[in-house]
């Protein structure tokens, strides 16, 4: 099931709905996506009436305003860790535990919205395609064996990053990862029951149609159960929490010469079977 948050083009408050065959949306009664997630997949009743054509709506991020920061995993694909070596202090070893950081809730952006450049603040805006995990059932000290049962669904995320800011604040990445609009996500949440194998999903970034990142989630260094177990150790995960699970190689700053997003660029972020984000830059 594909769950989305939308606003009618003619106006009105955001609504949540189910995407049906033929590009139609069945509106749900729930006030927002967090309420849908809290009630659980089995509680979703798809109405047969009042369907809305996709052409009549603007899609928002499936969770337009998360309750807390978006959890993120750094350095979770080996090739990406290696390509970043030249930008790091020497001697940084492969982590024995997942690297966690977060993005501010205000960074969340829609699947087809503009991604701001913040030209007065950064000159180095970069891309990072990532598999987004949406937590369903909350909990702490979740075991690896139980971790997958806590996943409500998946979405596409681009962990857009302001590279010089990422590194100039005492090696705390938070600020450089949290500029407004720098977390496009969506285009919808695909519920976990529909994602047969989250450990084998092709993911890709394209800029102006040119492939920049192309990999598969099977190359993740820390797999989803380990990420959830490690993150939830002594830290409560709640329904609707978002975990962005790291990016593969091919980011702009590690290229020769380095590449960064420019005004007017078209950033496409895709995971096969989940969906495609199309964000114009600037
Ligand atoms: Mg990332």
């Amino acid at each position: 099931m594909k769950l989305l948050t939308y606003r009618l083009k003619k106006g009105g408050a955001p609504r949540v709905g189910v995407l049906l065959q033929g590009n139609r949306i069945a509106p749900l009664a729930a006030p927002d996506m967090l309420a849908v997630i809290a009630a659980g997949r089995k509680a979703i009743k798809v109405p047969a009436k009042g369907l809305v054509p996709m052409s009549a709506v603007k899609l928002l991020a499936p969770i337009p305003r998360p309750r807390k920061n978006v959890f993120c995993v750094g350095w979770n694909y080996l090739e990406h860790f290696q390509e970043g070596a030249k930008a790091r202090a020497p001697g940084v070893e492969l982590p024995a535990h997942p690297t966690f950081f977060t993005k501010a809730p205000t960074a969340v952006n829609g699947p087809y919205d503009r991604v701001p450049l913040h030209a007065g603040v950064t000159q180095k805006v970069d891309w990072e395609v990532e598999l987004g995990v949406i937590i369903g059932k909350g909990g702490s000290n979740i075991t690896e064996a139980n971790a997958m049962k806590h996943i409500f669904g998946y979405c596409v995320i681009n962990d857009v990053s302001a590279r010089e800011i990422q590194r100039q604040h005492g090696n705390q990445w938070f600020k450089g990862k949290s500029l407004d609009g720098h977390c496009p996500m969506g285009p919808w949440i695909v519920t976990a029951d529909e994602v047969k194998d989250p450990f084998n999903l092709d993911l890709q970034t394209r800029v102006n149609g040119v492939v920049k990142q192309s990999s598969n989630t099977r190359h993740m260094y820390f797999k989803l159960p380990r990420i959830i177990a490690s993150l939830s150790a002594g830290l409560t995960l709640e329904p609707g929490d978002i975990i962005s699970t790291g990016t593969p190689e091919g980011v702009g700053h590690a290229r020769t010469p380095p590449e960064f997003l420019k005004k007017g660029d078209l950033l496409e972020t895709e995971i096969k079977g989940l969906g495609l984000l199309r964000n114009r830059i600037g």
Side-chain angles (χ1 to χ4, degrees):
M1 184 177 282
K2 294 185 173 78
L3 296 165
L4 38 78
T5 298
Y6 65 93
R7 194 193 294 278
L8 291 172
K9 283 179 180 166
K10 66 184 182 189
R15 298 285 307 267
V16 284
V18 178
L19 182 60
L20 304 177
Q21 301 280 347
N23 276 331
R24 293 165 310 155
I25 298 167
L28 297 177
D32 58 31
M33 190 66 80
L34 291 173
V36 173
I37 294 167
R41 165 73 180 82
K42 293 200 176 92
I44 299 170
K45 302 268 187 296
V46 182
K49 290 184 184 163
L51 305 186
V52 181
M54 193 73 139
S55 57
V57 312
K58 169 188 161 52
L59 286 197
L60 310 179
I63 304 175
R65 183 59 191 247
R67 230 181 247 124
K68 61 177 78 152
N69 288 18
V70 176
F71 295 110
C72 300
V73 184
W75 295 334
N76 205 27
Y77 289 74
L78 275 186
E79 292 81 356
H80 173 59
F81 182 82
Q82 283 152 3
E83 76 177 351
K86 62 187 175 189
R88 280 196 301 272
V92 178
E93 307 259 317
L94 267 177
H97 304 274
T99 298
F100 293 123
F101 64 94
T102 68
K103 292 172 89 75
T106 36
V108 168
N109 201 350
Y112 312 128
D113 287 335
R114 280 187 177 260
V115 167
L117 269 178
H118 300 287
V121 178
T122 173
Q123 301 298 312
K124 297 187 173 178
V125 177
D126 202 349
W127 53 80
E128 293 193 355
V129 57
E130 307 199 0
L131 172 65
V133 169
I134 313 296
I135 294 294
K137 188 166 71 126
S140 63
N141 302 312
I142 298 167
T143 63
E144 288 194 38
N146 282 329
M148 299 304 287
K149 295 178 206 151
H150 289 261
I151 297 178
F152 177 83
Y154 301 91
C155 69
V156 184
I157 289 179
N158 199 309
D159 174 19
V160 176
S161 305
R163 295 299 184 196
E164 73 278 63
I165 298 178
Q166 183 180 344
R167 298 213 166 74
Q168 75 191 13
H169 294 278
N171 271 332
Q172 300 292 316
W173 299 350
F174 167 73
K175 167 78 186 186
K177 294 285 193 172
S178 291
L179 299 189
D180 292 350
H182 280 194
C183 187
M185 65 178 285
W188 35 68
I189 295 171
V190 183
T191 53
D193 55 301
E194 259 185 36
V195 181
K196 294 286 175 272
D197 188 0
F199 306 104
N200 183 18
L201 298 171
D202 289 328
L203 62 181
Q204 201 168 80
T205 298
R206 296 182 293 274
V207 179
N208 302 324
V210 179
V211 175
K212 299 296 184 183
Q213 295 183 282
S214 188
S215 187
N216 186 287
T217 54
R218 70 172 168 268
H219 298 303
M220 277 189 198
Y221 188 61
F222 295 109
K223 310 294 185 197
L224 303 181
R226 175 71 195 280
I227 291 170
I228 290 171
S230 186
L231 183 59
S232 73
L235 184 162
T236 299
L237 294 177
E238 300 175 294
D241 281 354
I242 304 163
I243 307 173
S244 198
T245 56
T247 202
E249 71 278 13
V251 297
H253 79 94
R255 292 172 167 269
T256 311
E259 295 174 26
F260 298 103
L261 291 165
K262 304 178 303 296
K263 187 175 167 58
D265 282 347
L266 178 63
L267 176 65
E268 292 180 296
T269 314
E270 183 167 28
I271 301 182
K272 277 277 175 54
L274 295 189
L276 166 67
L277 314 179
R278 299 180 89 246
N279 300 90
R280 192 65 72 174
I281 303 300

